[in-house]
Amino acid sequence: MFLLLYNIIQDKMDKSVKVTNFEKIKNANELQSYLRDMTRRLDNTKMVCQYTGLRAALSIISKKYWYLGNPKNMNDGLEIQQGLDTRDNIFFSSFMIEKSESVAMWSMYAQPWEDGVMISIPKAQFKKWKKDIRKIYSADPQSKKVDENMYVELDKAEVSVTRVAYIKQDINGKIEKISCGGAKNDLLKSINAPSLIGYIKDDAWSYEKEIRLRVDLDQDIHYEGIAVDVPDYIIDSMVITKGPRFNGDLMERIKVEVDREIKTQSSSFYEKLNYTPCDGCAYRNGK
């Protein structure tokens, strides 16, 4: 009931403060509304991508669940500052909407190198998937195992796809720059609002061009992790790209675990990063 009332209020708020020009956003409510606007989030991309490891990709294909983590385990201090460390009812999975691959993303998220892959989902299927999600399952944050008997439906949860805005602050917390998708804003002066939890990150992460599949649970639901169903049309449409230093034949490695036809391809950086300075690191090699 609480979440239903929240959604009604949120919808009214979104309509009343809707701003379509990022440069003209003046307050937290307008920023949140802009970042929640589905019509603008995926305008300039054909595919929605996630960098990960082959084991995670195979788990998604075989078990047909997508895990979403609690932001308490995220990597950005600004998000923690905004209160994500005290909220246990927000979960999301992060995706990239850049048109080309990113070596930084391969290095950060698709590790270890020999197992790194990128999952790409066509925009149309991704948007349909968001609309088709009906159940939110409890999942173990370590094993990612889903408890199929413990779940809530949409009367106790809200599913959304949101953009992320990137903030640069001075040592006193004053905003120096805020950007999203290449657009900049000089009017927004404060981000200290609970409504922005999960919508902003420090400017250091702006290269990620991140969107989030996000789930807000009702306040009386306390799951450590969650998962949502992955329909066949997502699996059939996805492309698995092997990373720059992937070990072995990707299709053969998939077939060992999954009896299903999956579209595959190679990174544009494949075999172009055969050596990195870390390869010679004594600590890395256990010396």
Side-chain angles (χ1 to χ4, degrees):
M1 184 64 184
F2 168 82
L3 192 60
L4 179 61
L5 180 60
Y6 169 83
N7 289 340
I8 293 173
I9 295 173
Q10 187 70 55
D11 287 342
K12 290 181 178 179
M13 184 195 76
D14 286 349
K15 292 177 182 178
S16 64
V17 301
K18 190 170 184 177
V19 177
T20 58
N21 187 337
F22 187 79
E23 297 177 354
K24 295 183 178 180
I25 292 172
K26 301 183 294 297
N27 56 55
N29 283 348
E30 292 180 352
L31 177 60
Q32 183 191 25
S33 178
Y34 180 91
L35 297 174
R36 288 170 57 92
D37 185 358
M38 175 67 80
T39 61
R40 300 181 62 83
R41 275 191 290 279
L42 303 176
D43 278 355
N44 299 314
T45 187
K46 294 182 179 180
M47 307 290 279
V48 176
C49 307
Q50 185 175 99
Y51 293 79
T52 186
L54 181 60
R55 179 180 296 181
L58 292 176
S59 177
I60 291 168
I61 295 167
S62 62
K63 297 178 181 177
K64 299 174 71 173
Y65 289 112
W66 198 290
Y67 179 82
L68 290 80
N70 188 284
K72 290 186 291 187
N73 301 316
M74 296 294 121
N75 57 9
D76 177 51
L78 178 60
E79 295 200 300
I80 300 300
Q81 172 188 321
Q82 287 297 305
L84 285 176
D85 58 332
T86 64
R87 293 283 298 273
D88 65 356
N89 67 327
I90 298 176
F91 301 85
F92 50 75
S93 183
S94 297
F95 297 84
M96 185 180 185
I97 56 173
E98 179 59 279
K99 295 179 182 178
S100 58
E101 294 177 44
S102 166
V103 171
M105 296 292 282
W106 281 117
S107 301
M108 181 72 73
Y109 300 111
Q111 294 295 316
W113 282 108
E114 58 268 23
D115 294 326
V117 298
M118 178 176 68
I119 302 173
S120 301
I121 302 171
K123 174 176 62 175
Q125 279 72 24
F126 185 82
K127 293 170 73 172
K128 176 175 168 53
W129 179 30
K130 179 265 177 187
K131 294 179 181 179
D132 288 346
I133 293 171
R134 292 292 180 267
K135 293 181 179 179
I136 313 299
Y137 298 90
S138 174
D140 182 86
Q142 277 73 49
S143 68
K144 310 298 189 294
K145 184 177 181 180
V146 175
D147 185 343
E148 295 181 344
N149 296 314
M150 184 176 292
Y151 64 86
V152 297
E153 299 184 3
L154 295 189
D155 61 333
K156 291 284 188 178
E158 178 193 20
V159 180
S160 59
V161 175
T162 68
R163 285 290 303 266
V164 173
Y166 297 95
I167 310 288
K168 183 178 181 180
Q169 301 179 100
D170 63 20
I171 58 175
N172 297 314
K174 182 180 178 181
I175 294 178
E176 293 183 342
K177 181 178 72 172
I178 176 170
S179 62
C180 180
K184 297 180 181 180
N185 178 283
D186 297 318
L187 301 178
L188 187 62
K189 302 302 181 184
S190 175
I191 57 169
N192 295 316
S195 62
L196 292 180
I197 291 176
Y199 291 94
I200 58 175
K201 292 187 75 168
D202 189 274
D203 185 66
W205 306 101
S206 61
Y207 67 90
E208 294 183 343
K209 297 181 174 61
E210 183 180 353
I211 67 167
R212 291 171 168 176
L213 177 63
R214 170 172 168 152
V215 173
D216 291 71
L217 296 180
D218 205 340
Q219 293 285 0
D220 62 350
I221 307 298
H222 301 286
Y223 292 165
E224 292 296 317
I226 67 168
V228 297
D229 291 303
V230 180
D232 284 328
Y233 63 77
I234 289 293
I235 298 174
D236 291 337
S237 67
M238 69 169 51
V239 179
I240 308 296
T241 302
K242 66 179 180 181
R245 304 179 68 185
F246 188 84
N247 183 31
D249 184 287
L250 174 58
M251 196 64 248
E252 290 302 316
R253 290 184 63 180
I254 290 176
K255 287 181 178 180
V256 170
E257 303 289 338
V258 179
D259 184 19
R260 184 165 184 159
E261 290 297 320
I262 302 295
K263 300 182 184 73
T264 63
Q265 62 183 23
S266 297
S267 166
S268 60
F269 300 107
Y270 186 64
E271 295 187 333
K272 295 181 180 180
L273 301 177
N274 292 332
Y275 176 83
T276 69
C278 289
D279 290 340
C281 176
Y283 178 79
R284 175 186 172 96
N285 294 302
K287 298 179 181 179

